[in-house]
Each structure stands twice: as C-alpha cells, then as structure tokens.
Amino acid sequence: MSRQLIAAGNWKMNKNYEEGIALAQAISNAVQEPEALVILTPPFTSLSSVFEVIRDKKSIKLAAQNCHVEKKGAFTGEVSIDMLISVGVEYILVGHSERRAYNQESNELLARKVDLILSKGLTPIFCCGEALDIREAGTHIDFVANQLQESLFHLSEEAFRRLVIAYEPIWAIGTGVTASPEQAQEMHQNIRRLIAKQYSVDTAEGTTILYGGSVKPANARDLFSKPDVDGGLVGGASLKPEDFVEIIRSF
Ligand code: PGA
C-alpha cells in the first residue's frame, strides 16, 4: 500500500513575521512537484502570512504547533482550533516532547486534543518518543507503546486512519545526534505492528509514520530509505531553506 510521504518543518519559536514570509517564499519557490507532501509549521503569529504564500500550492500545507483542548472561552493566551482553521491550518502537532516537558501535557490531555482535532476534520500529527534514560534502560519500545495506548488507541479504526504519527526520540531532538536509520526503522516497524494488532494490517500499512530528531540533508536519504520511515518532522534544518529543500528532495 502506498502511504503519504511527508516532509514537515517545525519552526518552533523561531522567525518573526517578515522572516517567516521570506522562509515560506524560498521553500515555495524551490518546491515544484515534490515527491512528498510538504508541511510548514510556523509559530501562531506567522500562520496567516505563511498561508498567503502557499495557498495556491497543492503540495504545501499549513500546520500549527499546538491548539487548546477547549473550543473557546476564558483561556487567556491560548489559541483555539476554530481560530487555526480560520487561517488555513489543516494539520496540528500534538504532544511534541517540548510541550510534554514544558507545559506538562499528559497522555490523557493529548487524547482529548486528538479527539478535538479529528472532530473538526483536521489531521493531528501525534508525536511520541522516549528520553535517553529510557532508551538506555532498554524500555523504549514499551514506553512508546504506552504513549500510543493512552492517547490514540481509544479511537475508532476509521478515526485512527486519519492521523499521522511522528516518532521523535527526545535524545535526538536539537542535539545533532540522530537515531540511526536502523534505530528509527526498529521503532517504526514496532509502531506499525501495534497498529496492526489494535486495528488491522491494512490500517497499519496505511499510517504515515515520520521520524524526527536532528534530520538534516546529510542523513535524510538514509532515514527515508527505510521501509517504515515515511518522511521527517524537521526542526533546526527546516529554518534554512536550502537544507529543508534538500531534505524534501531526499525521498
Ligand atoms: P530537530 O527538531 O530537527 O531540531 O532535532 C525536531 C523536532 O523537534 O520536531
């Protein structure tokens, strides 16, 4: 079964209004008919301006880095899903490890966010992954399985088929240390096995699973060549148009 390949750039808390437009323009100009769907994830302040740059490009979509779990109301400083929809957002990151760590986002909260996003017809990009001590203890497979169990496996099969998973080992994020293609493949294959067990082989084979954690032009091709790695969620290297474009061309 052919899966949707994706190269997603997560800008995190980088790029002001003008810089965001310039980065989106550089990527948009360089990308004509990419092998993979390209997703840009700017900060909230750049969502609508980036959308204006990419709106006519079928192969480039807009994502938000987060949304609030409630639909509206007295939540000062938060952004709702309807606000995101109104500026062209189609994908939303859920459970990035930085939000889990700095904003105390639990598996239970993330399950509710996934429900909200799916109920609005958008696509969650669900992030999972273990810290270094868990990898060193050899319990990383079980740890990620538990994240999926607690945040995703309550979904119906039909709902589950609409989401994207990103495996991002925390020890590889922003550190320059990338998981080896074999380490990524091992985890992705295991995630696919769990999905097959929970739902069906068909759903497992159709689920896009991205790898994230120090993806760069020098390692993207090897990572993406693994059978269960369907693309990347790219932080640092997505801020440099020439690097991100090279990553997009690595499929
Ligand atoms: P990195 O970030 O590519 O800078 O390691 C990846 C991510 O956090 O999504």
Side-chain angles (χ1 to χ4, degrees), residues 24-243:
Q25 254 158 5
I27 294 164
S28 177
N29 291 342
V31 167
Q32 293 310 326
E33 286 179 12
E35 297 294 310
L37 182 69
V38 176
I39 298 179
L40 303 182
T41 317
F44 292 136
T45 46
S46 287
L47 284 170
S48 57
S49 52
V50 167
F51 182 65
E52 290 311 318
V53 174
I54 63 167
R55 67 184 307 156
D56 293 330
K57 287 252 175 175
K58 282 203 171 52
S59 55
I60 309 184
K61 300 288 186 191
L62 188 65
Q65 297 175 17
N66 179 41
C67 75
H68 197 268
V69 71
E70 299 296 341
K71 289 190 182 136
K72 65 193 292 192
F75 299 100
T76 301
E78 296 292 344
V79 173
S80 78
I81 190 156
D82 284 341
M83 296 169 191
L84 298 175
I85 292 170
S86 75
V87 292
V89 166
E90 291 182 56
Y91 293 76
I92 303 182
L93 300 189
V94 179
H96 189 282
S97 59
E98 286 150 19
R99 293 207 57 86
R100 291 176 187 262
Y102 307 138
N103 300 79
Q104 291 76 42
E105 295 199 353
S106 66
N107 290 343
E108 293 70 25
L109 175 80
L110 301 176
R112 291 172 54 212
K113 287 198 186 187
V114 166
D115 289 344
L116 174 70
I117 294 165
L118 289 171
S119 77
K120 292 280 184 179
L122 277 68
T123 303
I125 301 178
F126 180 79
C127 304
C128 55
E130 81 287 353
L132 185 59
D133 57 334
I134 293 170
R135 163 96 23 194
E136 285 175 349
T139 52
H140 48 288
I141 298 278
D142 289 346
F143 181 86
V144 169
N146 186 57
Q147 288 181 320
L148 302 184
Q149 179 67 44
E150 293 191 353
S151 296
L152 299 182
F153 284 170
H154 64 286
L155 294 170
S156 70
E157 182 161 11
E158 191 211 352
F160 187 92
R161 288 171 81 100
R162 291 171 34 224
L163 58 83
V164 170
I165 292 178
Y167 168 58
E168 299 205 301
I170 296 168
W171 46 272
I173 295 178
T175 58
V177 181
T178 316
S180 68
E182 292 68 33
Q183 286 172 318
Q185 169 59 22
E186 181 200 34
M187 182 64 84
H188 286 221
Q189 190 177 38
N190 201 70
I191 290 172
R192 221 178 282 292
R193 271 197 210 118
L194 292 169
I195 299 168
K197 204 165 142 223
Q198 181 73 19
Y199 298 104
S200 64
V201 171
D202 191 51
T203 291
E205 288 300 315
T207 302
T208 294
I209 308 177
L210 309 179
Y211 167 79
S214 299
V215 175
K216 33 194 179 231
N219 58 31
R221 200 169 288 278
D222 285 347
L223 286 161
F224 299 169
S225 70
K226 289 293 174 192
D228 287 299
V229 178
D230 307 316
L233 178 54
V234 186
S238 75
L239 300 173
K240 297 185 209 119
E242 57 289 356
D243 284 3

